[in-house]
Amino acid sequence: MRPLKDVFTFYDPENKIWCGIPSAPPYNPDQNLAQLVLSILDKNRQQVVQINADSDSEITGAELRLRAIKIAQNLSGRGFSQRDSCVMAVGNGDHTAPVLFACLALAIPVNTLDPSFDREDLGHMLETVRPRLIFCDTGKTLEEMKAACRNMGSEATIFQMDGDRIEGCSHVEDLLISTGSEDTFRPVNVTDASRQTAVMICSSGTTSRSKVVCLSHANCIRHVANFFDCLHGERIFAFSSLYWLSGLMILLVGTLWGATRIITRRPFSPKFALELFQRYRLNMVCMPPSQAFALIHEPGLERANLSSLRLFLCGGGQVTAHLKRSLQRYITKGSVEIPYGLSELGTAATHTRGEFYRDGSVGYARAGMELKIVDDDGNSQDIGQQGEVLIRARDIFKGYLGNKEATEEMIDSEGWLHTGDIGRFDADGLLYIVDRKKDIIKYNNFPFGPTEIEDIIQQVPGVNAACVVGLPTETGSDLVTAFVVRAEGYETCDENRILEAARRKLPDYKQIRGGIFFGEKLPMTPSGKVLRRNVKVLLSEIVNNGKTLK
């Protein structure tokens, strides 16, 4: 391996800080994100910037820009402004990009949700964000959204994003009517781009439902839109909706760097993925480990022509050396790279790059990033020593909406983000993530905390206590696994009752797939707190080594 340290990454031995190459952002971050987007679309007027794989319909830069302006002007005419907020629970459809850009042009903050959310999760987000404006896919998503609005007493205006008109809802087509003044439109001026929220994405907590991560206009320009190197005219793709940072990243990177985005509402399947790779001669794709793992086990991969792929990004969970090398075997003319970051940063703090990879590493510090390792007392650790990974950069997230306490726990007084991940650096500056200090569980790239599942288990008659953890798998998904203590006299309480309760009350991605194990007592601290990490270790030993609970 060529030298990495002191060439691409640098170490300050006195403060024990690793940093990437200092660099200025390619675009001025001190502006409304939509102002930049619309200007780039105007420059790429004749270029096809979006292709819908479900219909093969194409949209040029000029058409996408015009749609965004029409929607913005018609929303403004209906009284919506930067004093409001918006929720989008949508897949990757024809109107997703123009609706987002239109709201940003009016300086309306947008909370992006996945269309698979049920009414409970939607209700939680509505309570937190309190939108006046909702864009929603037709079908089950719309039914769940309307139910959530009724439950929360929300009077937000709902716009359907697709399908036939349904009574009681407006339709996005109503916003595409010409105003006759599109040529004179100018986005709302953002006076402080580093402080004004553009997009609100979800980040899961360990003891509560999702928190709302507020990303500013400056963050989206400086970080999200520069997540990876993109070439003008490339064809890029991800199955992710805007709920995931990867979905937002594909949209912004693709738009600002003049790429052509391929979109689809269809869910992931390895067979469909290979079809898209070859039909559109994709140059860049982004997938979580769970999808990538399914892809390498797809029989058709051996015969697939992936010669157009320049870059395959695989992140959002643990990417094993086996998975990376298996993918690389089929991507012969491009590279498989692993980014490591978090929603609160809006980008990757480290990434692998070609030859600068060792098994288990997540790469080195990216340009403009600072990283250090600290112990439980906050003392900086040296090369090779384990501790919590801290990250610092300009224009990180503004905070969690309505949750000052959680924000202060995440960002310290010196501007360091506390990731909750345990890691170490080697002598060359490569970072290795050893464990997650946080208790977040991820399944199929959906992050969530264990508390909701524990609450449901503990409502089952005969359950005295429960602790839920996620056991990692090679696919990158965690399997929800439960340690349950029966109440005295309820020896007949079995896993079937618990599984049935979970099936009734939880969405698919939160189901208990790792098993339910019964024991006499949970490991606890002297103060009565459950030692969740001990539970995880114990259940891992049971699953992997056949150890029994006592």
Side-chain angles (χ1 to χ4, degrees), residues 204-208 211 342 344 374 388-391 396-400 403-421 437-438 529:
S204 222
T206 63
T207 59
S208 61
K211 298 188 288 292
L342 58 162
E344 291 82 354
V374 300
E388 184 180 6
V389 180
L390 272 57
I391 304 170
I396 59 173
F397 85 126
K398 291 174 63 254
Y400 299 115
N403 197 334
K404 182 179 179 181
E405 181 180 354
T407 300
E408 291 176 346
E409 289 178 0
M410 187 66 181
I411 312 174
D412 66 25
S413 59
E414 296 180 347
W416 290 98
L417 282 172
H418 290 246
T419 69
D421 292 327
K437 186 177 180 181
K438 297 178 180 179
K529 293 183 178 180

Side-chain angles (χ1 to χ4, degrees), residues 125-170:
M125 300 310 296
L126 293 179
E127 182 179 26
T128 305
V129 177
R130 300 189 179 280
R132 273 194 66 212
L133 178 62
I134 295 173
F135 290 91
C136 184
D137 282 350
T138 306
K140 189 174 187 301
T141 308
L142 180 59
E143 294 174 7
E144 294 296 300
M145 182 64 79
K146 292 171 75 172
C149 287
R150 287 194 300 270
N151 294 340
M152 300 307 302
S154 172
E155 297 181 355
T157 301
I158 300 177
F159 284 90
Q160 294 174 240
M161 288 289 278
D162 60 342
D164 297 330
R165 295 175 183 271
I166 294 176
E167 186 177 352
C169 293
S170 299

Side-chain angles (χ1 to χ4, degrees), residues 268-275 277-278 287 290-304 306 327 329-330:
F268 167 81
S269 75
K271 184 175 181 180
F272 181 46
L274 287 180
E275 177 189 330
F277 289 2
Q278 296 174 99
M287 282 189 176
S290 56
Q291 292 179 1
F293 189 82
L295 188 68
I296 65 173
H297 289 90
E298 168 61 33
L301 183 59
E302 292 284 353
R303 303 183 302 276
L306 305 183
L327 286 168
R329 176 188 163 202
Y330 298 102

Side-chain angles (χ1 to χ4, degrees), residues 45-78:
R45 297 182 63 82
Q46 304 303 318
Q47 182 186 335
V48 174
V49 296
Q50 177 177 289
I51 301 176
N52 189 328
D54 303 331
S55 63
D56 278 330
S57 60
E58 300 181 350
I59 299 177
T60 64
E63 177 60 24
L64 180 52
R65 182 177 182 275
L66 181 61
R67 290 187 189 185
I69 291 173
K70 286 180 178 179
I71 294 170
Q73 289 181 321
N74 281 293
L75 284 175
S76 179
R78 292 175 179 236

